[in-house]
Amino acid sequence: MDWLNSIFSGPFLALFGAALAAGFAGAGSAKGVGIAGEAAAGVVTEDPGKFGQTLLLQALPGTQGIYGLLVAFLIMNSIGLFGGGEMTVTISQGFQYFAAGLPIAVGGYFSGIAQGRASAASMGILAKRPEEFAKGMLYPAMVETYAVLALLVSVLMLINVR
Amino acid sequence: MAIVKMKRLRVIMPSRVQKKVLRDLTRLGCVEIENPVYAEMDEDMVQVIQPPSAVTDAARARTEMIAALEALDRYAPDKKSFLTPRREVKESVLFDEESIEQAKDISARIGGIVRQINETKSLVGRIAAQKASLEPWTASDIPLEYTGGKEHSAIFGVIPITENPVDLSAALAEKSIPAIADVVHSDKEQSYIILVSYKDAQEEALSVLKAEGFSQTVFKDVHGTAAENINQLENEAVTAEEKLQQLEAEIVALAPQRDLLEQSADALNVESLREAAMSSMLHTEKTTYFEGWTPQAAEDAVAQVLEKNGCAYEFTDPTEMEEPPVILKNARLIQPFSTITEMYGLPKYRSIVDPNPIVAVSYFIFFGIMLSDALCGLVLSVITFIILKKKKPAGMMKQFLTLFFYCGLSSLIWGALFGSWFGNAPSVVATMLNKNLVVPPIWFDPLAEPMKILVLSVVLGVIHLMLGMGCSAYRQIREGNIKDAIFDTGFWYMILIGGLGLFTGKKIFMYIAILGAIGVLLTAGREKKNIFSKLTSGLGALYGVTGYVSDILSYTRLMALGLCTGVIAMVMNTLGTLAGNGIVGWILFLIVFAVGHTFNVAVSTLGAFVHSMRLEFVEFFGKFYISGGKPFKPLFNHTKYTQVIKEEI
């Protein structure tokens, strides 16, 4: 039953939380950036001059991945993964770190995709009314609020692990 | 610091001076000409109005000139660097008619050459296509126009390749038809066949071949064998290519005229704007009438111009019915932040409040906290500063760059306060050099004390929101509704201050909040008639507290984005040190450092830009802003390639 012990060990649970945070938030961003990129390619086919602006819009759903990375990094940092020394994390703490990874994992995944859709729709604004580009940047930013809130909860949980 | 007061301008002038007047007004750059409203005019006046005189061809000439410039860019690309500033040109030179005429000639010449190039290119395409269609027949030495002699006939044609090819000669022989089907060539799709038969057997032979899908190929206007034709076509192609090169060289030879073309395109652009203005004026046989707007401050200067040219004019205050255009005038430091407001949409002319001073200060702070890295900020400021100094951009571009310059400085300040210099780069570099260095934050380290930055974000947010509500109250007071200001803003101030004060644990704040809540409950429905609907309106308004909570929480993005920049930087630094501090380690470190931090600056700047904007637009403007003003679009020397230098006349 050695493997069972290593699963229910503090470091593993903490790292599992970090993995979920970075993995799912990253996957959400990847999907979102992909969706936005498909629309961007369409706009640039018609007007290559808009490349720079499409890139800005495409980059917007990318933040969830960064938030996930941020949480994962903070978890890894606080359990002492980088120090090279022993990781002293109790099982209870491990579960707490695990829980702390979840908000940004779930929130990041779904908001990333939704933000990608909003970005893709804003490409239409860029194509047809480029002068209103700033407004088009705002719609995806509205979605991001919820990723920010998820990140907030993740971080607050993380720094208060006992 | 306000929405600029506008004056309605009405002018009647003799038609002969109209061009001169327009030119002078363009120089001033502070009169917008508007389409007059026919409905408001006397019938008599409408009677004498003539349709606008035929517009000259400045716009068309400009389009041609820009096409010529594009051709120049294609065949003789300009080697100017991105940072080269726009050329300075004196007014008299820019609008010199002779040089414009000369430029028109040149652009016509370039246009002609481009047309020839296109024709030659399509000729080359046709030759290539023809060559491709003849190529399969090269193995045969029968002239392609050959159809047969006295007794026999020859037919050229193709048969699609099928999975089970049929031996045609055998098929013909089987039916004892006196004919030969010679397969000249086969490719992936079809076989090329010459069918030779006696004239009376032709029908039969054809029917055998047609069963296999034979279709006849007829060569129009071709003489000689395929090989001869291809040879000739190749010669033609070479000639065409030579001609192409020669034409391109002709365009390249015209490259030195680029400056002239550019400045004339600018001159024609201004001219075409004037034409457009002219067409929105009313003309009678001898006079021209127009209406427009001019800022109050420019009244004297405009009057002087009109006086000098012998026009009849009047300035009046805008009536209630009219919607004057809007410009926001602010101190020079604040002006760049006006672009943020303009992106949302200008405020209505009579909405009293110009939000720019508050937007400027809060945007500056928010951007700084969100980027919150001293070196990121420094990079941003230095880059924008260099572009500003070298390229000397104008208009929107200049405003934007200046905005980012300021915002970079703000990040520099906040980064220093939070002790983030590309994250922990100083101490990482020091460790690589086997030394010990920690740059301590001037204030506090957000990563170590996240609660502190969270509180900071929320407090800044509440201040920002309260300023927004204050703007609304200010407007109500200016409109004379002091009671409304107290009821709608004062009581909410009490709730917000009381609510936040609760965190300090003092009882007094609770009473303030409760008093405020009671105030809202009792006064929010003051317009309503009966007591019942008064109370429900009050309750509804109190429910708005959820809105305030979500508004305040929205400011936590200050913390989130701020932490992000620092953490990405730390990740990059950690990645860079993975290979130790040998030579390989240093190389890896430098590469990761350069690429990683460039990425970080780009991503974090974008995030800070968009999210600061969101806080202004959604949370702040949501409290008071009335958008829908139409921008003031005066006639001015609107140039793209050159910078006009004013001269005294």
Side-chain angles (χ1 to χ4, degrees), chain B residues 424-440:
Chain B
N424 55 357
S427 54
V428 169
V429 173
T431 317
M432 295 273 290
L433 295 167
N434 296 321
K435 286 191 184 119
N436 228 338
L437 172 75
V438 174
V439 182

Side-chain angles (χ1 to χ4, degrees), chain B residues 6-14 21 25 31-38 40-42 45 281-282 288-294 299 302-303 306-307 310-324:
Chain B
M6 295 303 245
K7 286 274 192 175
R8 163 63 89 192
L9 171 65
R10 291 189 181 81
V11 177
I12 298 180
M13 57 187 172
V21 169
L25 290 179
V31 174
E32 174 179 332
I33 290 171
E34 207 185 37
N35 278 319
V37 186
Y38 282 84
E40 284 175 10
M41 283 174 213
D42 296 354
M45 188 158 168
M281 296 178 176
L282 301 180
T288 302
Y289 169 77
F290 73 88
E291 291 181 9
W293 295 100
T294 187
E299 202 182 314
V302 174
L306 296 174
E307 197 76 48
C311 311
Y313 62 91
E314 63 167 0
F315 292 99
T316 52
D317 286 321
T319 62
E320 284 295 312
M321 301 290 291
E322 288 172 328
E323 192 59 51

Side-chain angles (χ1 to χ4, degrees), chain B residues 247-262:
Chain B
L247 287 169
E248 282 173 20
E250 273 179 48
I251 288 194
V252 173
L254 286 171
Q257 306 291 343
R258 185 194 307 266
D259 282 352
L260 180 66
L261 284 177
E262 284 182 348

Side-chain angles (χ1 to χ4, degrees), chain B residues 605-637:
Chain B
T605 304
L606 173 65
F609 170 65
V610 173
H611 285 282
S612 309
M613 207 158 76
R614 179 224 143 102
L615 289 178
E616 302 294 345
F617 288 179
V618 179
E619 274 75 26
F620 181 60
F621 283 180
K623 292 283 166 288
F624 71 97
Y625 196 70
I626 306 170
S627 71
K630 59 175 188 196
F632 180 57
K633 287 183 186 150
L635 274 178
F636 74 111
N637 284 331

Side-chain angles (χ1 to χ4, degrees), chain B residues 75 98 116 121 124 270 291 319 342:
Chain B
Y75 297 107
E98 225 168 86
Q116 284 190 53
K121 272 187 179 158
V124 170
V270 175
E291 291 181 9
T319 62
E342 278 159 32

